[in-house]
């Protein structure tokens, strides 16, 4: 049996993807907190715009 496949470690690219996903998730989670200082209507408009861009980006990759 070949032991090189069993001891294969994840690449730096996988680590970058995990870190990028964590940063994007934390950014989306913190948007309502950041918008607390803005008025409600402004916050809703900005969140809808950001939501539109995220959905559009997701559609590009699928």
């Amino acid at each position: 049996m070949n032991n090189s496949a069993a001891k294969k470690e994840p690449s730096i690219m996988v680590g970058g993807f995990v870190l990028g996903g964590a940063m994007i998730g934390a950014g989306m989670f913190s948007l309502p907190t950041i918008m607390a200082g803005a008025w409600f209507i402004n916050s809703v408009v900005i969140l809808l715009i950001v939501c539109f861009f995220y959905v559009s980006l997701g559609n590009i990759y699928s």
Side-chain angles (χ1 to χ4, degrees):
M1 184 191 286
N2 191 356
N3 287 338
S4 65
K7 294 182 180 181
K8 185 177 178 183
E9 295 184 20
S11 67
I12 190 89
M13 194 168 166
V14 172
F17 286 146
V18 170
L19 185 61
M23 289 189 296
I24 290 171
M28 287 302 293
F29 184 70
S30 67
L31 279 174
T33 305
I34 293 170
M35 291 295 156
W39 290 354
F40 180 75
I41 300 298
N42 295 340
S43 300
V44 169
V45 169
I46 292 171
L47 287 174
L48 287 175
I49 291 170
V50 170
C51 179
F52 171 75
F53 283 119
Y54 273 104
V55 170
S56 299
L57 186 64
N59 287 335
I60 289 172
Y61 286 130
S62 61

